[in-house]
Amino acid sequence: MPAVSKGDGMRGLAVFISDIRNCKSKEAEIKRINKELANIRSKFKGDKALDGYSKKKYVCKLLFIFLLGHDIDFGHMEAVNLLSSNRYTEKQIGYLFISVLVNSNSELIRLINNAIKNDLASRNPTFMGLALHCIANVGSREMAEAFAGEIPKILVAGDTMDSVKQSAALCLLRLYRTSPDFVPMGDWTSRVVHLLNDQHLGVVTAATSLITTLAQKNPEEFKTSVSLAVSRLSRIVTSASTDLQDYTYYFVPAPWLSVKLLRLLQCYPPPEDAAVRGRLTECLETILNKAQEPPKSKKVQHSNAKNAVLFEAISLIIHHDSEPNLLVRACNQLGQFLQHRETNLRYLALESMCTLASSEFSHEAVKTHIETVINALKTERDVSVRQRAVDLLYAMCDRSNAQQIVAEMLNYLETADYSIREEIVLKVAILAEKYAVDYTWYVDTILNLIRIAGDYVSEEVWYRVIQIVINRDDVQGYAAKTVFEALQAPACHENLVKVGGYILGEFGNLIAGDPRSSPLIQFNLLHSKFHLCSVPTRALLLSTYIKFVNLFPEIKTTIQDVLRSDSQLKNADVELQQRAVEYLRLSTIASTDILATVLEEMPPFPERESSILAKLKKKKGPGTVTDLEEIKKERNSDVNGGTESTPVNASTVSTPSPSADLLGLGAAPLTSSAPPPSSTGSLLVDVFSDSASVVAPLAPGSEDNFARFVCKNNGVLFENQLLQIGLKSEFRQNLGRMFIFYGNKTSTQFLNFTPTLICSDELQSSLNLQTKPVDPTVDGGAQVQQVVNIECISDFMEAPILNIQFRYGGTFQNISVKLPITLNKFFQPTEMASQDFFQRWKQLSNPQQEMQNIFKAKHPMDTEITKAKIIGFGSALLEEVDPNPANFVGAGIIHTKTTQIGCLLRLEPNLQAQMYRLTLRTSKETVSQRLCELLSEQF
């Protein structure tokens, strides 16, 4: 940029600014400004033509006055005239005035555009830079319409200087963000990608920002950028800090460019080219390795730059979710930050580990840090860090640590900040239900939750505990005894009174045999809380009293006296008064049989959507396409609940709530009034129309994606430039539930969106699938969800096909993928001692019961990854059973509706030969064959 000469100091402007600063009052300042405005106006209107210096000085004064908050209604034309000057400083002031004061509706916009066009065509890099900066600063639709077609040409022209390329890239980025419809995609898109190879790192940095934004909306146009970004990233991370001196920041080479390149790569799935993928893996490993090196400087700028690159690399590793070694290493690196003295690092580490907890391969590594996270929950001063610790405990929870985590969250709840108490309550309630092996523990936990944070226990939570108690006979007596004891406390929260009233009204007879909880004592205990409760709770207690009349005839008179009292019959609240009158009359005139019929025990609640989960999701915000990444945040777990589903024509079912019922306690049983689909070679469960179009062949990569889901339940099943399909599924015994998320990655609506499940006749007889419909219109950038209920009737070999048909921009789209519903999903792990295992192994010695496969290792032979895959496959991993400690053995039971099939497996690795021998023994030949096929593909 040209140097400013001494003559450009504008002494008159300096004097004016000094005068303004020396004003003692607001009135004095206004007086001085008005005097100056009058002087400038007379100069502009005078007969004597002003030279460029004077115009520049007066325009600067007007600009300063405007920035002080005063209106400026003249001088615009003089500023536009400065644009035609050949002096840099005059042109600069003209552009500055226009950027700040001229709006897009100004009559001068055409003159301004002509001046900008002249500067862009001048090929003078300084003038071109000023013009591009002005376009970017104004960024109006008029500017976009006038110059969006011209700027890409400047950007990719071979003779454009580096500084101008930088400005052009950032200017185009600004216009695309404000007016994307005016930025045409064309030949320049393929050429702009090659700017990633430019020798000037400033150009590469600006181009990366532009390409990243463009690729988010047009991924197919810029997919070639992946290999170039990996190549450039590789050169940066492997370079010494002295190699890139101009772009090295506190011994970290080009940290901003590295971060931008890593973000660009997050717009795409893992590279398909093995060489590119290997090079990217090397880059990520190098970044992780550098994080372990001693710092080259003690200054905070060094650690900030180094950690910025590291966290972005970890985000990319999580996004790809395909390299087990990297995922585990990333987890270990984040674990070191959990006790770092820097609060921001601890926050970011907790946040990233929440996402890592979703991966099949890093979940166990995340769990090793549970004590550190619990300690953070107790000792952190910053509430935002404590909230992330709660989120991480929730994400890492599974059957092995559920009781510990729930206990710690309950302990923290007593001192937790008010802003996060309701969210913690919801999470504790979900975890307690999701991982409850012993439902007495679940009841104790929820009652403790109400005791500790009753004001934050929403209706959904106490509704839920009542639903579960009513639906489970084995816990009803314990629940009645526990709430009875809890109600004896001098001060009870009203929510506890509601739960106690409901449960004792239904199951109080189960504890009435104990003299300490006789019918009269139960009634007196509840009635002692009556006057302290709100109207809705009193109404519930009156219903409990009439239930007692049926359960305990011996206290009928006592209850009738209460119902007959003036405080009830003449109550000011009409609801209480009506209940008292009707219940008293019912108890008086109804016979015992009629009373027993009217007041019989509540039937089990129909399975319906978990309102607790719905509430938690509502607190977290509405679903968007980015929620597809949250599929990876929910780890596969063996959940409670799960119901038998009846096949149904999906077109007869109303659209479900967007909240997912992960616990299998959801919508009422579905019935179908439509005839079943005809069997003509396949079962078509057509969600929207009576007849399906021709089914497309399987999408490229479908088989590979299918194989990835054999040992995991959650992730992205399919992705192209238009559509992303994510899965989240859960299985228990012979039942399963799968949530399919369809994400529209474009800004245009999908019309006639029709997902269809296709099963062969043979598969139809072995697998029972029930679907719920999705909206036929999917808005741009939105996500819709479809639920599939699954029942395994008998063992099967094939997998269903998911066919998706829709119209995008008038073009018919037809996509088919294999849905990963495989036989091993119905595994239940079985723990066995060494003696029991080999005794059973010998019993399954018939040739028809054994299937063996010797094969070459396709992936690195890592012990921890192999263990994770066997556990993910569904069987229990039996430690210290095989005489050879290098071998892996597992056991489990395949559950189908018709039978249960015991399965034993043995995997023998040969590290020298890089080979495996896999042996499956089950009581059924086809099961051995299928499980052997599925598991062999994983190693």
Side-chain angles (χ1 to χ4, degrees):
M1 186 176 289
V4 178
S5 67
K6 284 191 174 181
D8 291 326
M10 291 187 288
R11 184 171 176 277
L13 175 65
V15 170
F16 174 61
I17 292 173
S18 178
D19 289 348
I20 293 294
R21 288 177 175 171
N22 292 330
C23 289
K24 301 296 184 183
S25 65
K26 185 72 175 174
E27 291 75 15
E29 178 184 308
I30 293 173
K31 184 177 179 181
R32 178 69 182 88
I33 287 173
N34 287 337
K35 178 182 177 182
E36 191 64 37
L37 287 174
N39 177 53
I40 296 172
R41 188 178 275 109
S42 67
K43 294 290 184 182
F44 283 168
K45 290 184 176 179
D47 297 333
K48 186 178 177 181
L50 295 175
D51 60 9
Y53 170 79
S54 299
K55 281 185 184 179
K56 176 185 70 172
K57 179 178 67 174
Y58 292 134
V59 167
C60 266
K61 287 184 178 181
L62 291 176
L63 184 57
F64 180 72
I65 292 169
F66 175 78
L67 294 177
L68 288 176
H70 300 272
D71 292 333
I72 299 297
D73 56 3
F74 70 98
H76 298 74
M77 193 64 203
E78 284 72 17
V80 173
N81 289 338
L82 284 175
L83 299 184
S84 59
S85 170
N86 287 324
R87 291 178 63 88
Y88 167 76
T89 54
E90 293 172 10
K91 191 181 288 285
Q92 179 194 35
I93 295 301
Y95 275 123
L96 182 59
F97 185 93
I98 287 165
S99 298
V100 175
L101 271 89
V102 175
N103 61 52
S104 58
N105 297 322
S106 171
E107 297 175 355
L108 301 174
I109 202 72
R110 184 173 296 175
L111 291 174
I112 295 169
N113 285 352
N114 285 336
I116 291 174
K117 284 180 180 177
N118 291 336
D119 282 339
L120 291 178
S122 70
R123 312 312 292 175
N124 181 320
T126 305
F127 293 172
M128 292 176 75
L130 287 173
L132 289 168
H133 293 169
C134 179
I135 296 170
N137 286 332
V138 176
S140 64
R141 289 184 64 81
E142 289 74 15
M143 287 280 190
E145 187 175 9
F147 301 110
E150 187 69 24
I151 295 172
K153 298 176 184 176
I154 296 172
L155 178 59
V156 299
D159 58 346
T160 304
M161 289 186 64
D162 292 334
S163 60
V164 178
K165 283 184 181 179
Q166 283 180 261
S167 298
L170 296 176
C171 180
L172 189 59
L173 174 60
R174 162 74 167 161
L175 294 184
Y176 185 79
R177 284 174 173 167
T178 56
S179 308
D181 48 323
F182 284 126
V183 180
M185 298 293 113
D187 295 340
W188 64 272
T189 56
S190 59
R191 297 174 64 187
V192 79
V193 168
H194 290 283
L195 290 178
L196 294 176
N197 270 339
D198 199 277
Q199 292 183 347
H200 193 282
L201 285 190
V203 174
V204 180
T205 305
T208 305
S209 297
L210 174 64
I211 294 168
T212 301
T213 301
L214 294 172
Q216 289 169 352
K217 289 291 181 70
N218 308 280
E220 196 63 28
E221 294 270 358
F222 298 93
K223 64 182 180 182
T224 55
S225 64
V226 172
S227 59
L228 296 175
V230 171
S231 175
R232 173 62 77 173
L233 181 66
S234 176
R235 277 179 275 166
I236 293 172
V237 299
T238 56
S239 65
S241 56
T242 55
D243 295 344
L244 305 169
Q245 289 186 353
D246 292 341
Y247 286 87
T248 296
Y249 181 78
Y250 288 88
F251 303 101
V252 181
W256 284 275
L257 177 54
S258 300
V259 167
K260 289 176 185 292
L261 290 169
L262 289 164
R263 285 185 180 167
L264 171 58
L265 292 171
Q266 289 175 55
C267 296
Y268 293 92
E272 296 177 2
D273 187 309
V276 176
R277 190 166 184 165
R279 195 170 185 185
L280 176 58
T281 301
E282 288 177 12
C283 290
L284 296 172
E285 287 177 343
T286 303
I287 293 171
L288 292 173
N289 290 337
K290 285 185 176 181
Q292 300 290 338
E293 296 174 0
K296 296 178 180 177
S297 170
K298 292 183 179 180
K299 294 192 174 182
V300 68
Q301 292 93 334
H302 171 72
S303 60
N304 284 348
K306 188 175 175 182
N307 291 332
V309 177
L310 173 63
F311 275 101
E312 207 59 52
I314 290 174
S315 295
L316 179 61
I317 292 168
I318 294 170
H319 171 77
H320 284 173
D321 192 25
S322 60
E323 295 292 338
N325 287 325
L326 289 177
L327 286 164
V328 173
R329 286 195 61 189
C331 179
N332 294 335
Q333 180 62 53
L334 292 172
Q336 296 177 21
F337 288 141
L338 291 180
Q339 294 177 304
H340 200 278
R341 59 187 177 84
E342 176 62 42
T343 304
N344 289 338
L345 277 181
R346 296 197 301 274
Y347 178 94
L348 290 170
L350 289 166
E351 190 173 49
S352 298
M353 287 184 82
C354 284
T355 313
L356 273 174
S358 68
S359 173
E360 304 290 329
F361 304 112
S362 58
H363 182 82
E364 293 299 321
V366 171
K367 282 168 57 179
T368 61
H369 302 285
I370 185 170
E371 296 300 333
T372 308
V373 180
I374 289 172
N375 187 55
L377 195 63
K378 296 175 180 176
T379 59
E380 277 290 348
R381 293 183 178 181
D382 192 313
V383 62
S384 61
V385 180
R386 293 198 298 273
Q387 185 163 7
R388 292 288 81 78
V390 170
D391 292 341
L392 179 53
L393 286 175
Y394 179 77
M396 70 166 65
C397 189
D398 60 19
R399 284 203 180 282
S400 66
N401 57 20
Q403 296 199 12
Q404 179 188 4
I405 287 176
V406 168
E408 293 294 345
M409 291 175 89
L410 282 173
N411 289 338
Y412 172 62
L413 191 55
E414 299 194 40
T415 57
D417 299 82
Y418 296 116
S419 59
I420 61 173
R421 283 195 179 187
E422 185 178 3
E423 186 177 325
I424 296 174
V425 166
L426 291 173
K427 287 179 174 177
V428 169
I430 291 169
L431 294 178
E433 179 182 350
K434 191 174 185 181
Y435 299 112
V437 178
D438 179 2
Y439 273 89
T440 58
W441 171 75
Y442 170 73
V443 171
D444 289 339
T445 300
I446 300 299
L447 293 182
N448 206 14
L449 195 63
I450 295 173
R451 179 186 63 78
I452 295 170
D455 290 338
Y456 298 90
V457 176
S458 60
E459 289 186 338
E460 289 83 358
V461 174
W462 73 263
Y463 287 174
R464 197 71 175 150
V465 70
I466 287 173
Q467 288 176 23
I468 289 173
V469 169
I470 286 178
N471 286 13
R472 299 192 68 90
D473 297 340
D474 55 333
V475 80
Q476 291 165 357
Y478 180 82
K481 178 175 178 293
T482 306
V483 295
F484 175 78
E485 292 172 351
L487 286 170
Q488 292 178 359
C492 293
H493 194 275
E494 190 167 333
N495 281 335
L496 182 60
V497 177
K498 292 175 182 176
V499 174
Y502 203 109
I503 290 178
L504 290 178
E506 294 296 327
F507 310 113
N509 59 311
L510 300 178
I511 61 170
D514 189 331
R516 293 169 297 180
S517 55
S518 66
L520 186 59
I521 293 175
Q522 289 185 43
F523 171 73
N524 289 334
L525 180 61
L526 285 175
H527 197 53
S528 66
K529 316 289 182 186
F530 187 89
H531 66 287
L532 300 171
C533 298
S534 62
V535 169
T537 307
R538 292 185 186 186
L540 186 150
L541 288 177
L542 289 179
S543 298
T544 300
Y545 297 167
I546 193 64
K547 288 268 188 176
F548 277 180
V549 170
N550 178 49
L551 289 177
F552 314 122
E554 63 268 31
I555 62 170
K556 177 177 179 180
T557 306
T558 306
I559 294 172
Q560 285 178 333
D561 290 342
V562 171
L563 295 175
R564 197 179 284 116
S565 64
D566 287 348
S567 61
Q568 306 304 333
L569 291 181
K570 297 181 180 179
N571 197 294
D573 186 86
V574 66
E575 174 68 22
L576 294 180
Q577 185 187 88
Q578 182 176 354
R579 288 193 183 215
V581 170
E582 291 179 356
Y583 290 163
L584 178 61
R585 192 66 177 155
L586 179 64
S587 67
T588 304
I589 66 171
S591 66
T592 306
D593 292 341
I594 293 175
L595 205 60
T597 303
V598 173
L599 302 173
E600 68 179 344
E601 187 178 303
M602 283 290 288
F605 281 88
E607 301 301 332
R608 62 189 179 198
E609 181 171 35
S610 173
S611 52
I612 308 179
L613 275 165
K615 189 174 181 68
L616 181 62
K617 288 195 172 190
K618 187 176 180 181
K619 282 181 70 65
K620 287 295 185 183
T624 61
V625 170
T626 56
D627 289 335
L628 285 169
E629 297 306 319
E630 290 189 18
I631 297 165
K632 301 177 182 176
K633 296 180 183 177
E634 289 291 334
R635 186 181 164 276
N636 172 37
S637 56
D638 180 17
V639 293
N640 300 304
T643 57
E644 252 183 54
S645 302
T646 307
V648 58
N649 185 325
S651 61
T652 65
V653 184
S654 60
T655 303
S657 162
S659 306
D661 176 17
L662 298 186
L663 304 174
L665 297 166
L670 303 172
T671 56
S672 173
S673 58
S678 59
S679 297
T680 57
S682 66
L683 170 64
L684 297 179
V685 185
D686 190 350
V687 182
F688 299 113
S689 60
D690 296 326
S691 60
S693 302
V694 176
V695 177
L698 289 178
S702 177
E703 291 289 352
D704 293 338
N705 286 340
F706 175 83
R708 287 195 301 115
F709 278 85
V710 170
C711 291
K712 70 175 191 175
N713 286 346
N714 309 325
V716 177
L717 177 65
F718 171 82
E719 185 170 14
N720 63 10
Q721 66 271 28
L722 304 179
L723 177 69
Q724 188 181 50
I725 304 174
L727 295 183
K728 182 189 295 183
S729 50
E730 56 202 16
F731 296 87
R732 181 172 174 80
Q733 295 184 355
N734 71 311
L735 300 175
R737 178 165 292 183
M738 180 176 285
F739 303 93
I740 309 175
F741 299 85
Y742 305 100
N744 183 346
K745 294 173 62 177
T746 73
S747 56
T748 306
Q749 275 189 339
F750 292 166
L751 301 176
N752 301 329
F753 189 81
T754 311
T756 305
L757 282 181
I758 304 170
C759 300
S760 66
D761 287 341
E762 183 180 352
L763 185 58
Q764 178 186 342
S765 62
S766 303
L767 203 59
N768 205 348
L769 300 179
Q770 169 207 13
T771 60
K772 292 186 178 181
V774 296
D775 197 306
T777 302
V778 184
D779 292 332
Q783 163 193 311
V784 294
Q785 171 189 297
Q786 184 178 31
V787 182
V788 181
N789 290 320
I790 306 158
E791 181 185 26
C792 179
I793 299 170
S794 61
D795 62 283
F796 57 94
M797 302 289 284
E798 304 172 19
I801 301 296
L802 175 63
N803 177 246
I804 303 101
Q805 301 177 7
F806 60 94
R807 288 201 169 272
Y808 165 73
T811 307
F812 178 71
Q813 305 289 329
N814 192 351
I815 299 165
S816 292
V817 294
K818 286 179 75 171
L819 203 59
I821 302 174
T822 50
L823 186 59
N824 65 293
K825 300 298 183 185
F826 304 97
F827 242 134
Q828 290 293 299
T830 304
E831 297 292 339
M832 299 178 75
S834 177
Q835 182 179 352
D836 297 334
F837 178 85
F838 285 106
Q839 181 180 352
R840 180 63 177 155
W841 185 266
K842 291 175 183 176
Q843 291 173 354
L844 297 171
S845 57
N846 291 339
Q848 296 84 2
Q849 295 174 326
E850 180 180 283
M851 181 61 63
Q852 191 173 91
N853 187 16
I854 299 173
F855 55 93
K856 192 82 174 173
K858 305 183 187 68
H859 307 286
M861 298 179 74
D862 184 277
T863 301
E864 293 303 316
I865 295 173
T866 303
K867 288 181 178 179
K869 286 185 176 180
I870 292 174
I871 294 171
F873 191 67
S875 70
L877 183 65
L878 306 181
E879 304 279 3
E880 300 178 358
V881 168
D882 197 293
N884 184 348
N887 294 345
F888 304 91
V889 294
I893 298 173
I894 296 287
H895 285 261
T896 71
K897 186 176 181 180
T898 55
T899 185
Q900 295 183 8
I901 305 158
C903 307
L904 303 178
L905 69 87
R906 190 180 192 186
L907 182 67
E908 301 166 86
N910 185 332
L911 292 174
Q912 287 75 23
Q914 288 288 296
M915 298 188 74
Y916 287 101
R917 178 166 66 182
L918 174 64
T919 309
L920 260 296
R921 290 188 179 183
T922 76
S923 53
K924 195 169 183 180
E925 180 180 6
T926 53
V927 174
S928 300
Q929 179 184 346
R930 182 56 174 160
L931 294 180
C932 190
E933 288 174 1
L934 291 170
L935 194 54
S936 297
E937 292 297 319
Q938 301 304 308
F939 302 106

